[in-house]
Amino acid sequence: MRDNARARGQALLIARLAIALYLLELLLNVFRPHLLPDEPTVSIFYKLPKSISQQMQQGPLGSFDRLLSMPQAVFWAVMAGIAVGAALQVFAAITRPQGRRAVVLTWATLAALLGPFALMALAIVATYPLTALACVPSTAFVLWLLHHGQRFARLPLSVLLTAFGWGAFIVFGLGRAYTGLAFATLYGYLLKGSGSSLDPTGHLTSLYRVIDLLILHLNVVNALLVAAGVVLILLLFRRRVSDAMTGLVLGAAVGLGYTFVESILFIRLYGAMSSFTGVTGGFEYWIRQSIGLLGGQVAFGALLGAGLGLAAQARRRRQRRLIAGAALAASIGGAVATETLSAWLSHLAGDHIVVGSAVDTLVVSPLLWLLPQAPFIVLAILLLANGRRVRASASRVALSAEAGAGAAITPGEVPFLSDPALRLWALASTWRQYGRTAALALLRVQSAQLDLAGWRLRQADPSDPMDDMASREKGDQLRAKVMRLKTNARSAATS
């Protein structure tokens, strides 16, 4: 990743907006109506009565009692991070660093501003390491699918892991920090006008309204944070092909990271409360890490990311805003519908099935959860299929253009490189005839050639402002790498 002042400035802008939204949530929380005696100024510092706290520590919910103190630690860490981040930005404004020093300072500022929110996810993973380990195989499989489901100019695994980390630590932590403050704020304003304190019906109605608004709030901020992560990664790794498929893969990886941490929390939570709710941790694992893993935040993140990728290709600002806004609305609407409609459908079906039976566990409950999001999943699949076709067409044009420019890609190699089936056949044939070492060498040659074709495609993109000198140097480096790997492949085949 080359140094780019504009990209670094936009990355810092995203971090500043995230902090500004947190401070707004904090300000609204401070000035909320106080309904309880001795209610603290900031709601996250409210302490449960000693009797309730002691019961939680002694029972199966003991670990959750410790997690309830995490928002307080996050609050003080965020305040310290804001101070450090502000000091770093003042230092940068005074010294005006250049080159690598400016890049390091930007990363340090981003870490100071956003890093503290990762404490929530880290605490959950550290508290339940065995549950986290149980979620790793299915999560790794989906990451593998995202990596290999792309055609031509694949995003490196490091970029996918960056997107996954943003979802797991930043989206989850920021979303919970925002919503933790918003709950008390909504509770204070809505219950203040719910009527007499002796009227339980009015309070119950207001509490349901608080929960509904809280679901909407959480999904809105989650969608905004997923979008921010996709945009940030596209900025930081801007030399990669940016289209609908790039955005779709990045958005799905961000959603997968969020789902990973959320799954750990809910598997443990429902497992501890199974005697009260009837829902077991095993059932939550089945829904969240098995049958429904490609739905939920993964599907909505993919849809949002695809929309942002399409918006990045639009030449007019109005078109970019319309496409990005439509993708954001679809992602939020799908997520809210999944939460509300699934519960409503489950309530309707409750009188006709035996809750917890094999039919309910294996068929009915998964169906009721997936049904509201089915249109969004189908739309994401259609966008993926269209993106693959567009990639295939673009690859043939870019490969043919590069084949006429030098020896790194020859005309005879173009059909193999543009067709995944032919590439696989060439690798298998090389393995049978020359052995594993030669096949791996050929795979490295093909990967480097596809990177070179991706660079050629970026050259033809008028919406991508690239420095001509830097771009030519990058192309020369890629061609030299291909030629070097070809030499190594010939040596492996003859040895």
Side-chain angles (χ1 to χ4, degrees):
M1 185 185 64
R2 296 181 62 87
D3 177 29
N4 185 284
R6 182 181 178 186
R8 289 188 285 107
Q10 291 172 331
L12 287 174
L13 176 61
I14 291 174
R16 291 168 187 154
L17 290 174
I19 293 299
L21 182 57
Y22 179 79
L23 293 177
L24 176 61
E25 295 273 14
L26 180 60
L27 188 65
L28 292 172
N29 185 272
V30 168
F31 290 101
R32 75 192 185 281
H34 290 202
L35 304 178
L36 301 175
D38 300 325
E39 192 171 341
T41 303
V42 180
S43 62
I44 58 176
F45 289 97
Y46 179 79
K47 294 182 178 180
L48 293 173
K50 289 185 177 180
S51 58
I52 298 178
S53 180
Q54 289 174 354
Q55 291 178 3
M56 291 184 65
Q57 291 176 0
Q58 296 173 359
L61 296 177
S63 57
F64 292 101
D65 181 58
R66 294 190 295 272
L67 287 177
L68 289 175
S69 63
M70 276 307 300
Q72 301 175 19
V74 170
F75 174 81
W76 293 118
V78 168
M79 293 299 105
I82 292 174
V84 173
L88 289 174
Q89 291 175 81
V90 170
F91 175 77
I94 295 174
T95 60
R96 298 185 180 278
Q98 300 294 327
R100 183 173 180 81
R101 187 178 181 186
V103 175
V104 172
L105 196 59
T106 299
W107 281 108
T109 305
L110 291 174
L113 294 177
L114 300 178
F117 295 102
L119 292 174
M120 286 193 176
L122 288 172
I124 291 172
V125 174
T127 305
Y128 309 116
L130 294 180
T131 305
L133 191 62
C135 295
V136 167
S138 53
T139 301
F141 175 70
V142 175
L143 276 175
W144 181 87
L145 284 179
L146 292 176
H147 180 62
H148 291 278
Q150 307 168 67
R151 291 190 68 177
F152 174 66
R154 289 177 181 170
L155 289 172
L157 189 58
S158 59
V159 178
L160 285 181
L161 290 176
T162 301
F164 177 85
W166 176 271
F169 299 107
I170 305 302
V171 177
F172 184 89
L174 267 168
R176 288 302 187 275
Y178 291 154
T179 308
L181 293 171
F183 174 74
T185 304
L186 294 170
Y187 184 89
Y189 279 107
L190 290 180
L191 267 73
K192 180 183 179 182
S194 61
S196 171
S197 60
L198 299 177
D199 180 16
T201 304
H203 275 252
L204 187 61
T205 302
S206 297
L207 186 59
Y208 282 137
R209 290 177 60 195
V210 170
I211 295 174
D212 291 339
L213 289 174
L214 203 65
I215 292 173
L216 177 62
H217 177 279
L218 178 61
N219 285 292
V220 168
V221 297
N222 279 350
L224 291 174
L225 292 170
V226 170
V230 172
V231 172
L232 182 61
I233 294 170
L234 288 176
L235 288 171
L236 296 178
F237 299 95
R238 64 197 179 283
R239 295 309 181 198
R240 296 286 169 179
V241 176
S242 298
D243 57 8
M245 180 174 286
T246 304
L248 186 148
V249 171
L250 288 176
V254 174
L256 182 65
Y258 180 91
T259 300
F260 175 75
V261 180
E262 187 183 55
S263 296
I264 298 171
L265 179 62
F266 279 95
I267 289 170
R268 295 295 305 187
L269 177 63
Y270 282 102
M273 299 178 62
S274 59
S275 59
F276 304 103
T277 64
V279 179
T280 64
F283 175 77
E284 286 297 310
Y285 184 91
W286 160 246
I287 290 291
R288 296 177 181 276
Q289 286 293 309
S290 300
I291 190 68
L293 184 55
L294 291 176
Q297 293 299 324
V298 176
F300 301 132
L303 193 60
L304 177 55
L308 294 174
L310 287 172
Q313 291 183 307
R315 298 186 179 183
R316 295 182 180 180
R317 181 174 297 180
R318 176 181 173 83
Q319 290 179 327
R320 290 197 295 268
R321 289 176 177 175
L322 287 175
I323 295 173
L328 192 63
S331 177
I332 295 171
V336 174
T338 299
E339 294 288 344
T340 56
L341 291 180
S342 295
W344 179 68
L345 292 172
S346 179
H347 176 72
L348 292 179
D351 297 333
H352 306 284
I353 60 172
V354 178
V355 178
S357 64
V359 174
D360 176 41
T361 301
L362 299 177
V363 179
V364 177
S365 289
L367 179 63
L368 296 181
W369 187 77
L370 290 171
L371 189 61
Q373 52 187 303
F376 303 94
I377 295 176
V378 170
L379 180 57
I381 293 173
L382 291 175
L383 287 171
L384 176 62
N386 182 69
R388 286 172 63 87
R389 286 194 297 269
V390 172
R391 281 278 182 95
S393 177
S395 69
R396 286 190 290 270
V397 174
L399 287 165
S400 298
E402 184 59 34
I409 298 176
T410 64
E413 292 173 319
V414 172
F416 289 86
L417 293 172
S418 59
D419 190 329
L422 288 178
R423 289 204 305 270
L424 180 61
W425 177 82
L427 289 172
S429 300
T430 303
W431 191 313
R432 287 197 304 268
Q433 187 171 357
Y434 298 104
R436 175 178 175 274
T437 303
L440 291 176
L442 177 60
L443 177 61
R444 286 191 286 269
V445 171
Q446 292 178 344
S447 299
Q449 288 174 321
L450 291 175
D451 285 340
L452 177 58
W455 168 84
R456 171 68 66 173
L457 180 61
R458 296 288 290 181
Q459 286 288 99
D461 185 1
S463 65
D464 181 36
M466 300 178 67
D467 179 73
D468 290 339
M469 181 64 71
S471 178
R472 285 196 296 270
E473 290 179 357
K474 181 65 175 179
D476 292 339
Q477 292 172 2
L478 289 172
R479 292 188 186 97
K481 179 180 179 181
V482 172
M483 299 306 296
R484 183 174 66 255
L485 290 174
K486 280 190 171 184
T487 301
N488 295 338
R490 293 190 191 99
S491 300
T494 57
S495 60

